[in-house]
Amino acid sequence: MTHTLLALGSLLPDEMAVLEEHFKIIRLWKEQNPEAVLQEHRMDIVAILSTAMTPVRAHLLESLPNLEIIVQSGVGTDNIDLNVT
């Protein structure tokens, strides 16, 4: 079973290629209707890829019931709403 990763931003092409070997990747920044894509795949998404420049807001985290991990490329977690219950 291939897991789904929600990419809010991109890594280097070679790094993204490695991720593609293990995940189905949704490149949210490239989608014309990001909200529709999120609704369609919300049950499948188990991981979020974030960069320091892409916010991870509480409403996004709360909408993904099977989310297991947030992967942050860069230093810090200032862009991630950590107070989600």
Side-chain angles (χ1 to χ4, degrees), residues 9-13 15-16 19 29 49-51 73:
S10 185
L11 301 177
L12 296 172
E15 296 167 333
M16 293 301 286
L19 287 175
W29 77 95
L49 169 63
S50 175
T51 66
S73 174

Side-chain angles (χ1 to χ4, degrees), residues 20-75:
E20 286 176 334
E21 293 174 11
H22 303 281
F23 293 93
K24 172 185 174 187
I25 299 178
I26 298 171
R27 290 169 171 79
L28 196 62
W29 77 95
K30 290 187 171 186
E31 297 293 337
Q32 290 184 1
N33 190 342
E35 284 301 318
V37 171
L38 285 173
Q39 285 305 311
E40 180 181 346
H41 298 284
R42 65 184 289 274
M43 299 303 288
D44 303 323
I45 296 169
V46 296
I48 291 176
L49 169 63
S50 175
T51 66
M53 303 306 291
T54 54
V56 181
R57 300 291 177 227
H59 72 275
L60 174 61
L61 298 174
E62 292 166 347
S63 72
L64 303 174
N66 296 314
L67 182 65
E68 297 177 12
I69 188 168
I70 301 169
V71 180
Q72 173 76 357
S73 174
V75 178

